[in-house]
């Protein structure tokens, strides 16, 4: 056998190393320092892909109960502020009680609706200003306690008034006998018997060009299915008290509220209540209209 010389061995070894490097996915890179194993000529090879584990080798299984590392610092979210008891958008029995209590103090000038909107918020701010509380317009426990301490428990009539507007103070002329008592200031009609309010309803009046007359009158005649001969409009449950002016049901008032006006009559929008009054009141019944 012929012995190979040292010169013939080096290229062969280099060839084997290059082939081995390609087999494991490495790319030879010439570096001047750092990681890597030097070859016989001082050239280092920086691996770009870790070598695969040897055959039959399995990585160690992590401990079953090992805990995950926690971040160095985690900021806790700010605790949300407590929600108010009542605010704009709230609705229900408690809101109705709130409005009735504010009305007792003269801060809420409407009938309770059970819905918390801008009018209620203004009334709450007025109460908070009066008692030195933060004027938020929302009801938190401190505001609710203060309001309850300054008012009494509302009655059923205060919580569920017969009209959408507070009934005005009756005129002295309404306190005796059976009277249809009509207040222009509160836009309400009350049926008063012996000084006691039996029923109440919302009304509207004529415009500045066709004003509703004020004074003491009496029902002259009634017409269940009346139609105006002047304006050709329906006037159900009409009770005439002064010329062509009458108390009657108005479909326009029921549909559009106070955006319109009558031609001098007293419009009522609650048909059922007026139908009952139409049956009860008789020709000759006193009608008082006052401001």
């Amino acid at each position: 056998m012929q012995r190979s010389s040292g010169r013939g061995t080096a290229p062969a070894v280099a060839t084997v190393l290059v082939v081995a490097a390609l087999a494991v996915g490495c790319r030879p890179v010439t570096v001047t320092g750092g990681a890597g194993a030097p070859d016989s000529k001082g050239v280092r090879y920086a691996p770009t892909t870790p070598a695969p584990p040897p055959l039959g080798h399995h990585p160690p299984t992590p401990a079953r109960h090992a805990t995950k590392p926690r971040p160095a610092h985690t900021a806790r979210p700010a605790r949300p502020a407590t929600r108010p008891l009542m605010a704009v958008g709230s609705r229900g029995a408690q809101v109705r009680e709130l409005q009735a209590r504010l009305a007792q103090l003269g801060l809420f000038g409407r009938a309770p609706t059970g819905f918390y909107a801008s009018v209620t918020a203004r009334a709450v701010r007025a109460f908070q200003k009066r008692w030195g509380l933060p004027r938020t317009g929302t009801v938190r426990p401190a505001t609710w306690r203060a309001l309850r301490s300054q008012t009494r428990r509302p009655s059923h009539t205060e919580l569920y008034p017969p009209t959408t507007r507070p009934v005005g103070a009756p005129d002295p002329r309404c306190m005796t006998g059976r009277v249809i008592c009509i207040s222009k200031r509160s836009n309400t009609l009350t049926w008063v018997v012996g000084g006691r309010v039996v029923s109440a309803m919302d009304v509207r009046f004529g415009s500045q060009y066709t004003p509703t007359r004020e004074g003491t009158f009496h029902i002259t005649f009634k017409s269940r299915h009346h139609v105006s001969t002047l304006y050709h409009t329906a006037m159900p449950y009409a009770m005439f008290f002064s010329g062509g002016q009458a108390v009657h049901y108005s479909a326009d008032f029921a549909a559009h509220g106070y955006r319109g006006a009558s031609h001098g009559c007293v419009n009522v929008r609650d048909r059922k209540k007026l139908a009952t009054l139409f049956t009860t009141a008789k020709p000759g019944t006193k009608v008082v209209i006052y401001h």
Side-chain angles (χ1 to χ4, degrees):
M1 176 180 296
Q2 184 178 2
R3 181 178 297 176
S4 59
S5 63
R7 293 181 179 180
T9 304
V13 173
T15 302
V16 172
L17 290 175
V18 172
V19 172
L22 294 174
V24 297
C26 292
R27 181 171 59 87
V29 178
T30 302
V31 296
T32 58
D39 63 5
S40 60
K41 295 183 180 180
V43 178
R44 295 176 181 267
Y45 294 88
T48 58
T49 305
L55 296 177
H57 175 75
H58 299 282
T61 303
R64 179 174 298 178
H65 300 290
T67 58
K68 296 182 179 180
R70 294 182 177 180
H73 176 72
T74 303
R76 293 185 178 181
R79 181 176 297 179
T82 57
R83 297 179 60 184
L85 298 177
M86 289 169 277
V88 173
S90 300
R91 63 178 67 226
Q94 192 176 39
V95 175
R96 187 179 290 274
E97 181 182 350
L98 166 70
Q99 294 167 335
R101 288 181 181 272
L102 290 169
Q104 291 176 15
L105 299 176
L107 299 175
F108 189 76
R110 302 187 181 185
T113 62
F115 181 73
Y116 201 120
S118 59
V119 174
T120 305
R122 285 197 299 270
V124 169
R125 280 193 291 269
F127 174 79
Q128 291 168 334
K129 179 181 179 181
R130 180 181 296 183
W131 291 98
L133 297 168
R135 286 178 282 174
T136 61
T138 61
V139 179
R140 295 184 180 276
T143 298
W144 187 233
R145 286 193 299 269
L147 179 61
R148 294 183 68 182
S149 69
Q150 299 300 319
T151 55
R152 54 178 169 71
R153 185 178 183 85
S155 65
H156 184 272
T157 302
E158 289 176 315
L159 292 171
Y160 301 93
T163 65
T164 60
R165 295 169 176 264
V167 175
D171 186 276
R173 292 169 289 177
C174 301
M175 302 309 293
T176 57
R178 299 159 65 88
V179 186
I180 296 177
C181 194
I182 303 171
S183 169
K184 284 187 173 181
R185 182 179 297 275
S186 65
N187 285 351
T188 57
L189 177 155
T190 53
W191 172 235
V192 184
V193 178
R196 184 175 65 89
V197 176
V198 177
S199 65
M201 55 203 80
D202 297 330
V203 294
R204 73 177 183 183
F205 306 97
S207 66
Q208 61 177 329
Y209 303 107
T210 55
T212 302
R213 302 182 189 99
E214 297 179 17
T216 301
F217 310 92
H218 294 83
I219 295 177
T220 54
F221 74 98
K222 304 192 305 180
S223 177
R224 167 67 179 79
H225 301 286
H226 195 79
V227 176
S228 170
T229 57
L230 183 61
Y231 301 105
H232 308 289
T233 55
M235 299 169 56
Y237 303 106
M239 294 180 284
F240 290 86
F241 58 85
S242 176
Q245 294 190 352
V247 176
H248 68 86
Y249 170 75
S250 169
D252 181 78
F253 182 30
H256 302 106
Y258 292 95
R259 287 182 292 176
S262 73
H263 290 96
C265 289
V266 178
N267 290 165
V268 179
R269 60 180 169 185
D270 191 321
R271 189 184 188 111
K272 184 176 180 180
K273 284 184 178 180
L274 184 60
T276 301
L277 179 60
F278 181 87
T279 303
T280 304
K282 306 299 181 183
T285 296
K286 185 165 65 172
V287 178
V288 176
I289 302 177
Y290 63 100
H291 194 277

